[in-house]
Amino acid sequence: MKHLLGIEDLSAGEIRDILDRAAYYAKSLETGKWDHKTLDNKIVITLFFEPSTRTLISFDIAAKRLGASVVNWQVENSSMRKNESFLDTILTLNQMKPDAIIMRHVEFGAPNFVAGHVDCPVINGGDSWREHPTQALLDALTMEREIGPIKDLTVAICGDVAHSRVANSNAILLKKMGANVRIVAPAFLMPQKFPVAGLETFTSLEEGLPGADAVMLLRIQKERMKAGQIPDDAAYHKEFGLTLERLNMAGRKAFVMHPGPMNRGVEIADELADDRERSLIAKQVAGGIPTRMAVLDMLIGK
Ligand code: NCD
């Protein structure tokens, strides 16, 4: 593995190796014991063109937990504000010889383009609605730790699937690892094309939830919708918002997941977002650190 651009590029064996390494770091973070110098003398650049709390900060912390230094490039303070092109920016940063670039971009395939122009590994922190590989990996880590082996699970991915890179990366990962994957979305948010074969599709929660072990919600991504497409929040919640009662249609033991940021009262009811027994959302956030430690270690560790 030279870069991490998408789950699409990984074999089931490579996914297994990353998840095993992530599980190792999850345990290590509890005991405080791991090699804090794994990334000694390494410098990684974070290059985010879209807002981020979880992904950006957890990559930063993961790199520092392994001893790397992190340079946080920000578009507002960069020479792109003086009309330097994207490619010239990348070529300039490459000349400074970073050990890795972690990036998020609004354009489909931007990390793949960058990987073709730099000498170091590129890690995709989300591109357009294409892929968000570390989100799917941390979701898989969370499910394995909290529910059970991926191959035994039925996972319902629900909501704004059409605009979601999280849905794409998760659907690909879960299928590669042998899970049953359902896509549950109202017709206007159902994608026309799927990134992987063998997904079951449903247009209502009533049909799509029964028997699911995990219900993975997605944020309604208004910034990616055309004017006429934007749903009314209250109407959406009534039709498609997950409440505790609706989660129970999946099963009394089913869990809710969400990559964040959440729209409370839209795709998820407040009570459920804060439900400690049925929500894995906080665990997903925590799982971002060991997962990103694993990826950094495997790409640039000693
Ligand atoms: C997501 C993203 O930006 O892709 N958030 C995340 O990284 N945890 C999902 C979203 O924005 O809805």
Side-chain angles (χ1 to χ4, degrees), residues 4-7 18 55 58-59 102 104 123-126 131-141 169 173 284 287-288 291-292 295-296:
L4 178 59
L5 304 174
I7 299 296
I18 300 172
T55 307
S58 71
F59 264 119
I102 301 161
R104 168 173 285 190
I123 301 172
N124 182 7
E131 279 240 31
H132 190 349
T134 55
Q135 182 68 44
L137 289 161
L138 75 87
D139 289 340
L141 175 75
S169 289
L173 184 149
Q284 289 172 268
T291 303
R292 290 168 176 131
V295 168
L296 286 164

Side-chain angles (χ1 to χ4, degrees), residues 50-52 54-55 104 125-126 128 132 135 164-166 218-221 223-224 258-261 292:
E50 276 183 15
S52 174
R54 278 150 282 264
T55 307
R104 168 173 285 190
S128 176
H132 190 349
Q135 182 68 44
S164 177
R165 54 196 174 207
V166 174
L218 303 165
R219 182 174 62 89
I220 292 288
Q221 297 174 56
E223 77 276 19
R224 299 215 164 96
H258 195 305
R292 290 168 176 131

Side-chain angles (χ1 to χ4, degrees), residues 144 148-154 174 177-180:
E144 286 196 326
I150 303 279
K151 66 168 179 35
D152 300 336
L153 302 183
T154 295
L174 291 165
M177 301 308 278
N180 287 317

Side-chain angles (χ1 to χ4, degrees), residues 248-262:
N248 284 337
M249 296 190 311
R252 293 267 157 195
K253 289 189 174 160
F255 291 98
V256 61
M257 301 177 72
H258 195 305
M262 291 183 270

Side-chain angles (χ1 to χ4, degrees), residues 244-291:
L244 183 57
E245 200 186 329
R246 282 175 163 166
L247 180 62
N248 284 337
M249 296 190 311
R252 293 267 157 195
K253 289 189 174 160
F255 291 98
V256 61
M257 301 177 72
H258 195 305
M262 291 183 270
N263 294 303
R264 288 172 181 257
V266 186
E267 69 264 4
I268 185 165
D270 237 348
E271 44 155 29
L272 189 56
D274 299 321
D275 188 318
R276 292 218 192 160
E277 275 171 30
R278 307 295 294 278
S279 162
L280 297 180
I281 299 168
K283 296 206 158 90
Q284 289 172 268
V285 175
I289 308 279
T291 303

